[in-house]
Amino acid sequence: MACFTMLLLQLLISLLLISLSHGDHCPLQLDPQRAVVRYGGSVEVTCNTSVAHKGMGWEASEGGVPMTKKQNLITWRVSELTEWDIKPFCYINPNKGAQCLIELPVTVYKTPDSVSISTVNHRGPMIEGQQYELQCDVHDVAPVQYLTVKWYKNQTRLNQTTFSDTDKTPENKTVTLLIRPDRDDNRAQYWCEAELDLGAEGPQPSPKYSSKPLSITVYYAPIIQFCRDWSPLTGTSLDSYPLNLYSVEGNPHPDISWRHKSSPVRSSMPLTRYDSGLYEIIARNDLNNVSCFMNIIVEYPPELNCNKSYEVKEKTPFKLPCKADGLPKPEYFLYKNGKIIQHDFYPNWNDSGLYQLTAHNQHGTSNSTFTIKILHAPIIQFCRDWSPLTGTSLDSYPLNLYSVEGNPHPDISWRHKSSPVSSSMLLTRYDSGLYEIIARNDLNNVSCFMNIIVKYPPELNCNKSYEVKEKTLFKLPCIADGLPKPEYFLYKNGKIIQHDFYPNWNDSGLYQLTAHNQHGTSNSTFTIKILHAPIIQFCRDWSPLTGTSLDSYPLNLYSVEGNPRPDISWRHKSSPVRSSMPLTRYDSGLYEIIARNDLNNVSCFMNITVEYAPIIQFCRDWSPLTGTSLDSYPLNVYSVEGNPHPDISWRHKSSPVRSSMLLTRYDSGLYEIIARNDLNNVSCFMNITVEYPPELNCNKSYEVKEKTLFKLPCIADGLPKPEYFLYKNGKIIQHDFYPNWNDSGLYQLTAHNQHGTSNSTFTIKILLAPIIQFCRDWSPLTGTSLDSYPLNVYSVEGNPRPDISWRHKSSPVRSSMPLTRYDSGRYEIIARNDLNNVSCFMNIIVEYPPELNCNKSYEVRNKTLFKLPCIVDGLPKPEYFLYKNGKIIQHDFYPNWNDSGLYQLTAHNQHGTSNSTFTIKILHAPVFYDSQEKFVMEEGSNITLECNTTGNPEPEVWWSFKNRNISTGGRHFNIERATSTSAGVYTCSATNKFGRNDKTFIVEIKALDYVFPNYILIVVVVFALLAVIIILVVVIWRRRKSSGHYEIGLRSEMQPLSNGSL
């Protein structure tokens, strides 16, 4: 019995030590103090002490370490832990004091096999404003008390759920989330995340497993945020309505239709110029339809419809005769001869011609060419004397001898001796005199006087024969009637001779007299008989052929003249000789030839040897063309005879000249022609004047002041002296004239003689003071200089070319200076040359690209009108576009609380674009995000209420329960070990200066069957056993006292039970 009692006491003491001994008083240290192990993973924890002991060890269902006395550090190891609810503890038996132990908290975890998200009872697109339930399934995870399931939309956390389950084995958990999507949620991605937060001893970072994202499609009715007026080009369809002029949103994407004048319009129909008006654009999908109105002005390129010709009186205003139909209203440019001119002007009589009118707008250009005929009274610029040929009519008066202008074209009439003359009448030699030419049209008439000398060809009337004594003056026996006075040429034997001469005895014969002027030639043939005594001018030796009679004595070896014709007789050796007697070789000698007529007789002696020296009977002056050789000296202007025939050579300036040499204009002068044979040589002198075609050497350009006499600037070198003709634009003009300022241009001078023509083209620049015909307003881009003032907006004439300068606000301005936006205003352009200066005023509006100067941030109250916060400086006035998240939005709008964010404002005009990015903060009362609002939990659970709120300014948050505040400042409210008194309605309140908002959470607590705590039972049992032991000790003590002496002692050590428990 005593033994049993001692054993029982030992057991009770052990139980008491187990139930009451803890780490606070136990000299043991665990490292780590808590173990977190993945299911199936390894674990290792050390237990050490710094006190003397009788033994220490690890007690565990896996990896227990037997008690050891020699070590102060022992390790609990498990290589593959598979027990979910293991509770190892380290114990020690110190030398002093009772046995104690420390239990190692062990958490065995398993990450989820999968995390998935789905919609509950719904498939397909969602409708804006309706409520839907999302479900997140987490499979096979442990322990769930460390599990947090979080909900996300894109990257924004919406809600999170924790669990109070104490079960340590794997479980499946399902969490739901109620959403009410709007259009901003279209294509949003929802996803859930399971996170095991195992504390500092667990893996870092905490394991997180996410579902695949669930992308939702939200259908919503169309919205037309704005639609702006449009100015398309004709031929454009409504399908081309620019995206930056309207904003339509809707899902499904709205179908767009159009209405005009209350009737549907096909959007693909090309618009015409007649389709402008108010249009309605309609956006329609399955949920609703909306519309918006805008004005559409159909623009089109200009179209000119001009007549081919217009008439206008001189010096009356001419305005554009035809207007272009075009939108925008076109700009007009009038051209003549390729130069732009002012289209409203007062024309002069010489402004008639071909004009081109151009109408231009931004969509195209239309050209029309027409003739402007300037109606003006006749003008006779000049009329010159005329020398027509008889038989010519006044209608043939040459155009180069007079200049008549007028519109309508003047009728021409004539007067002579104060009487009208028919212009078709053929003029006779008796009609010469002073004539008046009259030019007449409906506006006036003018006249001009000139001398007309009627010319006619010569006419000779000569006798058939004339006689004259030798060496008496012979003059032309007959004179020709002709105008101009004819020139006379007298020919004998085809050779020209002097027509007034003293004839020698040998000049008798047939003569031809020719009278010539420019209109014709008259010829008359007659005989001149020279009465004279015989003359033997010479008789030369002769070398006749044997058998030749003296009758054959060559006439070229002697010269016998006489009138009447002398008889010829011969004497040889003082004896008469018959002239018919054939000569023999023995008849050579001195012969006497005797010439006899009624007046006298003469004789001459010669050796008859037949041969004789050359004779040049005459040589006349010659006027060859340059390039002609002396070999071409005409036979009719010289006579050379000789036997043997003489060779011809030439000399000039005492030097021999080759006869084949081509003569130049510099070879004129006195030449000597030499005739030479074996017997002798003779020479003759004549003047050779080398003629040549004219050659002009003019400069390329000449300058002459306006209205000063212009004479031919260059003279042609030519022989005979050339005649000159001056042309401009293919028309002959007077070559000495008084030019106007607009007579500058290209001229051609022609010099002509009988040998050729020379042309020279040159420019005549008329020096005139500057003229500014017009200058128009200009809108340049900033940075442009005045040097860039366009040529088509002003017209400056002047020669020398005027220098251009500028003035602004009465001060000179450098034309190269880049203009700034502050330089707009009235400017004066000044054209100046050496003759004068003129100026013209215009307005210059300097345009520049937009420039935005915005703050980095703006605040605007929820649902109050937001207007553009920063104004751009730009010209022309820029157009504005506001973007958020890359989408264009209306820039004046009423923002919602969730419209805060980053915005981009773009300002654009034709010169550039400026961008500015800023943040818009929407000031609004607090709002709450979706989160779990109802909790049904078991008693003893931990509950976290989440109040996800936002507001601007940041709201103040507090919690209330049963009408009293229970917490302030936190967005999470934790209920630990919930009891039935924790059930009820919890209110989260958020407030800022713009308002207050409340959100309620319902908490329901489910009651559990009561389980008496183990530690209370143990304490009760221990105290009961102590009471029993005390009673037994008292009883034994009494017995021993009554029966003898006993010792009762406790065992000095406590041994572990076989199952490892104390």
Side-chain angles (χ1 to χ4, degrees), residues 563-580:
N563 195 2
R565 177 74 181 173
D567 295 326
I568 300 300
S569 60
W570 294 83
R571 290 178 65 83
H572 177 48
K573 298 178 181 180
S574 304
S575 297
V577 180
R578 286 185 300 108
S579 60
S580 60

Side-chain angles (χ1 to χ4, degrees), residues 48-171:
N48 69 83
T49 183
S50 60
V51 301
H53 63 87
K54 302 170 186 178
M56 61 185 298
W58 277 98
E59 192 68 27
S61 57
E62 292 185 43
V65 179
M67 187 177 66
T68 177
K69 299 179 180 180
K70 298 180 179 181
Q71 294 182 11
N72 288 339
L73 186 147
I74 57 175
T75 301
W76 175 62
R77 290 186 180 90
V78 179
S79 61
E80 188 174 343
L81 184 59
T82 56
E83 184 178 341
W84 293 101
D85 195 18
I86 192 169
K87 296 180 179 179
F89 62 87
C90 180
Y91 65 91
I92 187 172
N93 293 316
N95 289 341
K96 295 179 180 181
Q99 185 185 53
C100 67
L101 60 88
I102 296 179
E103 184 178 329
L104 172 67
V106 177
T107 301
V108 180
Y109 73 91
K110 177 183 179 300
T111 58
D113 289 342
S114 65
V115 179
S116 62
I117 187 172
S118 61
T119 56
V120 179
N121 300 324
H122 179 77
R123 296 183 65 184
M126 300 179 180
I127 305 300
E128 182 182 33
Q130 296 187 13
Q131 184 171 281
Y132 298 89
E133 185 176 16
L134 303 182
Q135 177 175 301
C136 182
D137 293 304
V138 182
H139 296 279
D140 208 22
V141 61
V144 295
Q145 72 182 82
Y146 297 108
L147 175 65
T148 301
V149 177
K150 299 178 182 179
W151 288 95
Y152 291 88
K153 179 174 72 175
N154 297 326
Q155 299 302 316
T156 302
R157 193 177 76 177
L158 302 177
N159 199 0
Q160 68 180 30
T161 302
T162 59
F163 303 89
S164 58
D165 303 33
T166 58
D167 193 352
K168 297 184 178 182
T169 58
E171 296 182 52

Side-chain angles (χ1 to χ4, degrees), residues 946-968:
E946 293 190 0
C947 181
N948 292 322
T949 182
T950 184
N952 196 3
E954 183 72 18
E956 180 184 355
V957 178
W958 71 90
W959 292 84
S960 59
F961 180 59
K962 295 181 181 180
N963 295 321
R964 67 184 181 88
N965 292 342
I966 57 175
S967 176
T968 58

Side-chain angles (χ1 to χ4, degrees), residues 285-582:
N285 66 10
D286 296 337
L287 302 179
N288 203 353
N289 66 79
V290 292
S291 66
C292 183
F293 291 87
M294 83 286 292
N295 286 308
I296 294 181
I297 307 300
V298 182
E299 298 184 350
Y300 47 95
E303 184 176 326
L304 283 167
N305 289 305
C306 301
N307 296 333
K308 291 185 177 180
S309 178
Y310 296 94
E311 292 185 343
V312 60
K313 284 187 176 181
E314 180 185 21
K315 297 182 180 178
T316 60
F318 175 81
K319 295 192 175 184
L320 289 182
C322 48
K323 295 290 185 180
D325 185 15
L327 197 67
K329 185 178 179 181
E331 187 176 6
Y332 297 93
F333 303 95
L334 187 63
Y335 297 86
K336 183 184 181 187
N337 298 328
K339 294 182 178 179
I340 193 168
I341 63 172
Q342 193 167 3
H343 43 69
D344 294 343
F345 67 104
Y346 290 83
N348 291 321
W349 65 268
N350 56 354
D351 286 331
S352 294
L354 193 65
Y355 287 73
Q356 177 180 307
L357 178 62
T358 296
H360 173 77
N361 66 14
Q362 64 197 61
H363 302 300
T365 300
S366 178
N367 297 310
S368 182
T369 302
F370 49 81
T371 300
I372 297 178
K373 298 177 180 178
I374 310 302
L375 302 178
H376 62 92
I379 297 172
I380 300 179
Q381 292 183 331
F382 61 89
C383 63
R384 298 193 178 95
D385 294 343
W386 183 36
S387 298
L389 182 62
T390 181
T392 304
S393 69
L394 293 170
D395 288 333
S396 302
Y397 186 45
L399 295 177
N400 63 343
L401 296 184
Y402 77 110
S403 173
V404 174
E405 299 285 344
N407 197 5
H409 191 74
D411 296 324
I412 301 300
S413 60
W414 296 82
R415 293 178 64 85
H416 179 47
K417 297 180 179 178
S418 303
S419 298
V421 180
S422 169
S423 61
S424 61
M425 178 187 73
L426 301 180
L427 297 171
T428 69
R429 66 183 65 183
Y430 310 109
D431 291 329
S432 296
L434 184 66
Y435 280 74
E436 180 184 10
I437 184 171
I438 304 160
R440 175 183 288 105
N441 65 11
D442 296 337
L443 302 178
N444 204 350
N445 65 80
V446 293
S447 65
C448 182
F449 291 89
M450 83 288 290
N451 288 307
I452 296 179
I453 307 299
V454 183
K455 296 183 178 181
Y456 47 93
E459 186 176 328
L460 283 168
N461 289 302
C462 301
N463 296 330
K464 293 185 176 181
S465 177
Y466 297 94
E467 289 186 345
V468 60
K469 285 187 177 181
E470 179 184 22
K471 297 182 180 180
T472 61
L473 179 63
F474 175 81
K475 292 192 175 184
L476 289 181
C478 49
I479 301 299
D481 185 14
L483 196 66
K485 184 179 179 181
E487 188 178 5
Y488 297 94
F489 302 93
L490 186 61
Y491 297 86
K492 182 183 180 187
N493 300 326
K495 297 179 180 179
I496 194 168
I497 63 173
Q498 194 169 1
H499 44 70
D500 290 345
F501 66 103
Y502 291 87
N504 291 320
W505 56 270
N506 54 354
D507 287 331
S508 294
L510 190 64
Y511 286 75
Q512 177 181 308
L513 179 61
T514 296
H516 173 76
N517 66 13
Q518 63 194 63
H519 302 299
T521 300
S522 179
N523 296 309
S524 182
T525 303
F526 49 81
T527 300
I528 297 177
K529 298 178 180 178
I530 307 301
L531 301 176
H532 62 89
I535 297 172
I536 299 178
Q537 291 182 332
F538 60 87
C539 61
R540 297 190 177 92
D541 294 341
W542 182 34
S543 297
L545 184 64
T546 184
T548 302
S549 68
L550 292 172
D551 288 334
S552 301
Y553 184 49
L555 295 176
N556 61 345
L557 295 185
Y558 74 107
S559 176
V560 175
E561 295 291 340
N563 195 2
R565 177 74 181 173
D567 295 326
I568 300 300
S569 60
W570 294 83
R571 290 178 65 83
H572 177 48
K573 298 178 181 180
S574 304
S575 297
V577 180
R578 286 185 300 108
S579 60
S580 60
M581 178 186 71

